[in-house]
Amino acid sequence: MDAIDRAILRELQKDGRISNQDLADRVGLSPSPCLRRVKTLEASGVIAGYRADLSAKALGLPITVFVELGLDRHTNETTKLVEDSIRAIANVLECHVLAGDADYLLKIAIGSLEEYESLIRSEIRSIPSVASVRTSFAYANVKEHAPLPVGTSGRRK
């Protein structure tokens, strides 16, 4: 991947609906080679897909909750059951496996505290082997959906 590929990736992260002509203009290529590079980046898996960025608040999901789950068992069968159960819960936006005190960290979008209580009682606590649930509510968002740093060590200059 060279500097032009990295420029393409930065531009696509800013605007995934940009036309090929505009993208080519921004990165200093003609349209045909630009499109070839985009197709190559897609085929190689660097570009994993395109999606619309929706407003949770506009969809009636104004509350963001982070939930740490602890398990009482860690067998392959248990973790598969837990992870399959979590994948099936629509309000769970992200699920990360952790090293440390908790086993999983969930990011949940929800409409109200009452809906959150219901979700915990009926869906999260009903997952076999979930031994602990620790909740943190986000009251502000400082940075969300940031583009991945392309061609850096993770630091922005």
Side-chain angles (χ1 to χ4, degrees):
M1 191 167 22
D2 63 12
I4 293 174
D5 288 336
R6 289 189 294 276
I8 288 170
L9 294 172
R10 283 190 291 273
E11 292 300 325
L12 286 174
Q13 285 189 100
K14 288 180 202 171
D15 181 3
R17 293 184 57 157
I18 189 172
S19 71
N20 184 58
Q21 179 66 57
D22 289 342
L23 179 60
D25 291 344
R26 288 187 190 176
V27 301
L29 288 176
S30 60
S32 291
C34 183
L35 184 58
R36 274 195 300 274
R37 284 176 177 258
V38 169
K39 294 295 183 194
T40 299
L41 290 165
E42 290 170 350
S44 69
V46 173
I47 297 175
Y50 301 89
R51 64 186 179 125
D53 187 13
L54 307 180
S55 167
K57 186 175 179 179
L59 291 170
L61 302 166
I63 301 171
T64 300
V65 187
F66 293 93
V67 178
E68 293 179 347
L69 298 181
L71 304 184
D72 62 6
R73 283 174 280 156
H74 295 88
T75 66
N76 289 340
E77 181 180 295
T78 298
T79 56
K80 181 179 179 350
L81 177 62
V82 168
E83 291 171 11
D84 288 346
S85 298
I86 290 168
R87 282 186 199 98
I89 301 171
N91 292 81
V92 176
L93 306 179
E94 297 178 15
C95 176
H96 302 272
V97 180
L98 303 179
D101 293 335
D103 295 305
Y104 295 93
L105 177 65
L106 311 181
K107 180 180 179 183
I108 296 173
I110 202 85
S112 68
L113 295 179
E114 292 81 9
E115 288 176 36
Y116 177 69
E117 178 186 9
S118 177
L119 180 97
I120 287 296
R121 288 178 184 259
S122 66
E123 296 189 60
I124 303 290
R125 287 241 180 242
S126 69
I127 300 171
S129 296
V130 170
S132 65
V133 177
R134 183 175 169 192
T135 300
S136 297
F137 291 94
Y139 64 87
N141 183 347
V142 175
K143 185 176 183 179
E144 184 176 54
H145 304 300
L148 288 172
V150 179
T152 67
S153 61
R155 295 183 305 264
R156 295 254 168 177
K157 295 181 182 177

